[in-house]
Amino acid sequence: MEYIKNRFFQKASRCISEYQRLKTEHGDKVIGQVTIGQVLSGMKGIPALVTDTSKLDPNEGIRFRGHSLPELREKLPRLEEEGEPLPEGLFYLMLIGEIPEKDDVLNISKDWATRAYVPQHVFDVIDAIPRNSRPMTQFSAAILAMATESIFQKAYRAGVNKKYYWDSTYEDVMNLIARLPRIAAYIYRRIYHNGHHIEPNPQLDWAGNLAHMMGFDSVEVKRLLRLYMVIHADHEGGNVSAHTTHLVGSALSNAYYAFAAGMTGLAGPLHGYANQDVIYWLNEMCDHLNTDEPTDAQIAAYIEKTLREGRVVPGYGHAVLRITDPRFTVQQEFADKYVKNDKLINLVNAIYRVAPPILESTGKIKNPWPNVDAYSGALLNHYGITEYTFYTVLFGVSRSLGVLASLIQDRLYGMPLERPSSFPLSWFKKQAEGTSEGC
Ligand code: HAX
């Protein structure tokens, strides 16, 4: 499949000189200002990262290389007329910047199938971790253990010229993405199915094979996982998993190190863990109310109780978005089309009716609308993937597509070590008030 690599190089290499030219000729151009509020609020909104794969608009949602999710569900190649696009096509789009032909997508599927061999020591590492430890602990450790395979690391040690770093990183990225479904499914079967593992089927597409190895061979589950892998793939460069992968990669750490670090960020409750936290919180609410079909008034009271206790309502709010997440809407449309009367999905829909005005009335939550995690667990649960502690691993498999496509680009552009400045709190106080006394 060298032609995909060549196509990427042809398209992206035009930007290498632009990157360097901007740096040297326009290095002094001011593009924004940084406020103390931004620094003390987690650097929100500071234009500080270069990411080509996708861009998030607060009032519109995610666009991958300029295409919205509904557009991509129309335009990206799919296996069946009624099916969902293959995530391989989104990867191609993010990497190369063009909507692929069906053959390009099928070729990526084949390429990844040939790269999907996971070395035995990676399974040994997983098996050495207590079975009841969190799936994301096992997932991150397995990715790290696979760094023994890094082609970039060997090329670096052999003294390869830095302008070719992107080439061995491309190989690492393609190998890593290809192997993630096998690792994820291995962890799933290990924890929830007594270690009865299912061998991969190289004839299947990437997401279809993941469903198969987890033990789901129906058309419906494969369709859902293809959708899932597309909508979680990328969310521009500043979110924790993407930024961490980029940051660690900027030290020339190999793709395995960088992505494992990104996954430990995804594992946090304010990020990807939210998809399991939603189900935990819904179960907790139903237990508390002693019903799985609470009224709107009961839901409202429970949300208020959650806020009073100083906890977050998982699945709601966002650091950038100021609308209902289009990834939520896409899943809701999917459920409306294919699912009839599921109690958990009905509950998720009821919370969407009840929660936003309550969250808005706090006056401090900037986005009272649901994010992607508010819906995903209920859909997976409906299709039989009920083990919600596993959901963040599925998110992680998908997220590899965007953040690792970006890592190849980082290498091609020759992006430097990331190293912002930090100051003591007293310095900020001095900037604001002219004195650092009291700090
Ligand atoms: N429930 C309760 N309080 C919330 C809240 C929620 N859903 N969302 C925001 N807040 C609170 C914040 O904790 C913060 O409180 P303090 O001032 O007391 O610290 C205040 O409202 C202002 O926060 P914000 O500016 O609106 O939001 P942030 O950019 O700081 O945080 C989060 C964005 C997504 C982390 C936040 O909305 C949140 O905690 N949501 C719940 C967890 C969640 O769903 N995370 C997944 C987000 C999507 C994602 O990355 N998926 O992987």
Side-chain angles (χ1 to χ4, degrees):
M1 297 316 150
E2 282 294 295
Y3 84 89
I4 290 182
K5 191 190 208 175
N6 293 339
R7 209 171 273 178
F8 160 70
F9 181 69
Q10 273 162 15
K11 284 281 290 187
S13 58
R14 292 182 214 148
C15 298
I16 303 173
S17 51
E18 283 302 298
Y19 184 95
Q20 293 305 337
R21 200 178 60 75
L22 278 170
K23 208 161 114 180
T24 46
E25 290 178 23
H26 299 286
D28 293 333
K29 173 129 181 105
V30 177
I31 51 166
Q33 41 163 223
V34 178
T35 65
I36 288 182
Q38 283 179 306
V39 174
L40 301 189
S41 316
M43 299 194 283
K44 305 273 166 47
I46 299 175
L49 296 165
V50 180
T51 307
D52 286 342
T53 46
S54 68
K55 178 70 193 139
L56 185 56
D57 182 282
N59 300 309
E60 220 190 16
I62 189 68
R63 279 185 181 270
F64 299 87
R65 295 278 193 171
H67 300 276
S68 69
L69 269 178
E71 278 166 32
L72 288 181
R73 283 178 84 206
E74 294 285 316
K75 289 181 185 166
L76 285 178
R78 58 192 77 226
L79 283 180
E80 307 107 17
E81 202 40 47
E82 266 295 285
E84 291 293 327
L86 293 178
E88 287 89 327
L90 180 62
F91 177 77
Y92 182 104
L93 172 69
M94 287 192 287
L95 188 70
I96 296 177
E98 287 168 2
I99 301 276
E101 299 295 332
K102 189 165 181 179
D103 275 352
D104 298 321
V105 171
L106 297 180
N107 280 337
I108 294 184
S109 286
K110 278 191 215 132
D111 185 33
W112 287 351
T114 61
R115 293 170 182 265
Y117 171 77
V118 174
Q120 182 56 41
H121 77 268
V122 175
F123 297 127
D124 294 344
V125 165
I126 297 172
D127 288 339
I129 299 173
R131 209 180 107 194
N132 62 356
S133 53
R134 284 192 172 169
M136 280 302 276
T137 306
Q138 303 185 38
F139 189 56
S140 310
I143 294 163
L144 206 49
M146 221 159 36
T148 49
E149 306 301 291
S150 174
I151 295 170
F152 167 79
Q153 212 162 264
K154 291 189 185 80
Y156 180 86
R157 196 56 299 142
V160 72
N161 188 308
K162 60 170 139 182
K163 72 179 178 201
Y164 302 120
Y165 286 170
W166 74 271
D167 191 311
S168 47
T169 298
Y170 176 95
E171 297 301 329
D172 278 353
V173 162
M174 296 300 259
N175 289 339
L176 174 50
I177 293 175
R179 293 165 186 177
L180 289 175
R182 175 81 164 120
I183 290 172
Y186 188 90
I187 293 167
Y188 180 77
R189 301 290 302 180
R190 173 177 191 242
I191 301 178
Y192 311 108
H193 292 274
N194 292 321
H196 294 134
H197 297 293
I198 298 171
E199 289 297 310
N201 175 354
Q203 304 306 320
L204 290 172
D205 58 292
W206 187 71
N209 209 3
L210 171 61
H212 161 72
M213 288 184 282
M214 287 174 65
F216 299 89
D217 275 311
S218 70
V219 171
E220 288 77 14
V221 175
K222 287 183 183 142
R223 178 167 60 203
L224 174 67
L225 282 192
R226 287 177 195 130
L227 174 76
Y228 189 101
M229 293 296 139
V230 164
I231 65 176
H232 290 82
D234 208 32
H235 225 214
E236 72 168 39
N239 66 78
V240 171
S241 50
H243 188 191
T244 308
T245 305
H246 167 77
L247 170 66
V248 175
S250 85
L252 291 186
S253 299
N254 65 56
Y256 299 90
Y257 287 168
F259 185 61
M263 289 300 94
T264 55
L266 188 75
L270 300 187
H271 195 12
Y273 183 87
N275 67 6
Q276 44 180 298
D277 220 9
V278 166
I279 305 298
Y280 180 88
W281 181 79
L282 293 176
N283 287 342
E284 193 187 53
M285 173 169 66
C286 291
D287 285 350
H288 179 81
L289 299 170
N290 207 16
T291 172
D292 51 9
E293 291 178 285
T295 63
D296 285 8
Q298 285 176 307
I299 293 171
Y302 197 78
I303 292 171
E304 277 155 6
K305 171 175 153 19
T306 303
L307 294 175
R308 261 197 323 276
E309 288 169 350
R311 299 167 61 193
V312 294
V313 176
Y316 280 76
H318 201 273
V320 179
L321 284 169
R322 296 295 176 258
I323 51 163
T324 295
D325 191 336
R327 302 172 299 174
F328 176 96
T329 310
V330 158
Q331 294 180 90
Q332 196 176 42
E333 285 167 8
F334 185 93
D336 287 349
K337 185 167 174 191
Y338 295 115
V339 179
K340 300 280 167 278
N341 217 12
D342 177 291
K343 275 188 187 164
L344 196 56
I345 289 179
N346 292 345
L347 186 52
V348 165
N349 286 331
I351 288 164
Y352 185 33
R353 273 196 312 272
V354 175
I358 301 174
L359 299 180
E360 190 153 37
S361 71
T362 64
K364 72 167 184 177
I365 299 174
K366 296 193 189 66
N367 181 42
W369 302 106
N371 59 57
V372 64
D373 301 313
Y375 220 100
S376 58
L379 259 183
L380 291 166
N381 181 75
H382 174 81
Y383 284 97
I385 306 174
T386 56
E387 301 86 357
Y388 64 86
T389 53
F390 183 72
Y391 292 168
T392 313
V393 173
L394 290 176
F395 193 155
V397 174
S398 166
R399 188 46 63 97
S400 69
L401 300 176
V403 303
L404 291 174
S406 284
L407 190 68
I408 303 173
Q409 271 190 331
D410 293 354
R411 291 282 181 274
L412 188 78
Y413 291 168
M415 281 198 195
L417 182 80
E418 194 174 292
R419 188 22 176 121
S421 292
S422 73
F423 297 88
L425 186 62
S426 54
W427 183 87
F428 290 97
K429 185 171 157 69
K430 188 140 194 237
Q431 302 305 305
E433 299 174 345
T435 171
S436 57
E437 240 170 77
C439 254

